[in-house]
Amino acid sequence: MNTLDRIVRVLPLVLPLALVAPLVSPTQVQAAAQNGEDGSDSEEQTYDYGARVKIEVRMEDGTVVKHRGEMRSFGNEWRFEFDGADHHHALTLNASGEEGDKKLEVTLAYERDGMAVIAPYKDTYPVRKRQSLWTQDGKLAIALTFIPTKFEREDTSRDDKEKIDPGDSDDPLGGNLFK
């Protein structure tokens, strides 16, 4: 068998393989080649930037109620509810800021026992320093301390949190089918 016969016999196998091989390459390699990148993975941000919040409410009788909370991201409204000094407190905070900022723009509102005590109020708060807001009559104060923090993002690609209960009556294949 000469060389020409071998090439003719192998050609029907090699030609389709040569045409299909570029389609099988990973999409990341193709995207990197199209963008002119060297294929190195660029790190995606895997955290949200927010703040841990220390809340202190000084009541009219001098009693101080303390609470700690987390604002897991800026730009969202966060509501902190807690009990203390025989009252139910609710503080709504919305802060805006970027990583590395020394001051935050904060909007706060305060309710006690379901009644609005402080209407939404906007102010600038320093990072890592305690700042107080007093009412006009000087009887009530709210002190806030914002400590910037990076919070890990939760993996939302899979929803394993709600698993099917084996005794679920809505399952069409549940139970014995041959009764």
Side-chain angles (χ1 to χ4, degrees):
M1 189 192 275
N2 64 18
T3 310
L4 187 58
D5 288 335
R6 287 184 184 176
I7 292 174
V8 171
R9 286 185 179 189
V10 174
L11 190 60
L13 296 173
V14 173
L15 186 61
L17 183 60
L19 294 174
V20 173
L23 301 175
V24 178
S25 64
T27 57
Q28 292 177 348
V29 174
Q30 289 179 354
Q34 289 174 355
N35 295 336
E37 298 175 1
D38 60 354
S40 62
D41 291 46
S42 60
E43 287 191 28
E44 185 179 318
Q45 184 179 357
T46 59
Y47 63 88
D48 287 321
Y49 188 69
R52 296 187 195 281
V53 185
K54 294 179 185 177
I55 303 167
E56 299 175 52
V57 179
R58 184 184 175 277
M59 308 287 287
E60 291 84 352
D61 62 358
T63 307
V64 177
V65 179
K66 296 182 180 183
H67 183 73
R68 290 179 185 245
E70 294 178 343
M71 298 176 68
R72 297 189 68 87
S73 62
F74 289 137
N76 297 320
E77 191 170 275
W78 295 87
R79 184 174 173 90
F80 302 98
E81 295 187 19
F82 51 98
D83 293 318
D86 298 327
H87 294 283
H88 181 75
H89 307 274
L91 181 69
T92 305
L93 295 174
N94 187 352
S96 61
E98 297 292 324
E99 193 170 347
D101 286 352
K102 299 293 180 192
K103 294 190 177 220
L104 302 174
E105 292 289 325
V106 178
T107 302
L108 69 90
Y110 173 69
E111 296 175 7
R112 183 172 54 207
D113 298 327
M115 301 283 293
V117 177
I118 298 176
Y121 175 79
K122 192 171 196 172
D123 198 4
T124 303
Y125 280 78
V127 171
R128 296 189 185 277
K129 293 186 180 175
R130 183 176 180 267
Q131 181 171 321
S132 299
L133 171 69
W134 289 82
T135 56
Q136 287 182 342
D137 60 5
K139 294 182 178 180
L140 178 78
I142 297 177
L144 299 172
T145 307
F146 294 94
I147 302 165
T149 308
K150 293 179 183 178
F151 294 99
E152 290 291 325
R153 286 189 181 155
E154 292 183 16
D155 183 17
T156 57
S157 62
R158 291 178 35 177
D159 191 15
D160 290 338
K161 296 177 183 171
E162 296 180 19
K163 296 191 178 192
I164 297 175
D165 181 21
D168 189 5
S169 63
D170 294 339
D171 185 8
L173 299 177
N176 188 355
L177 298 177
F178 301 105
K179 284 185 180 179

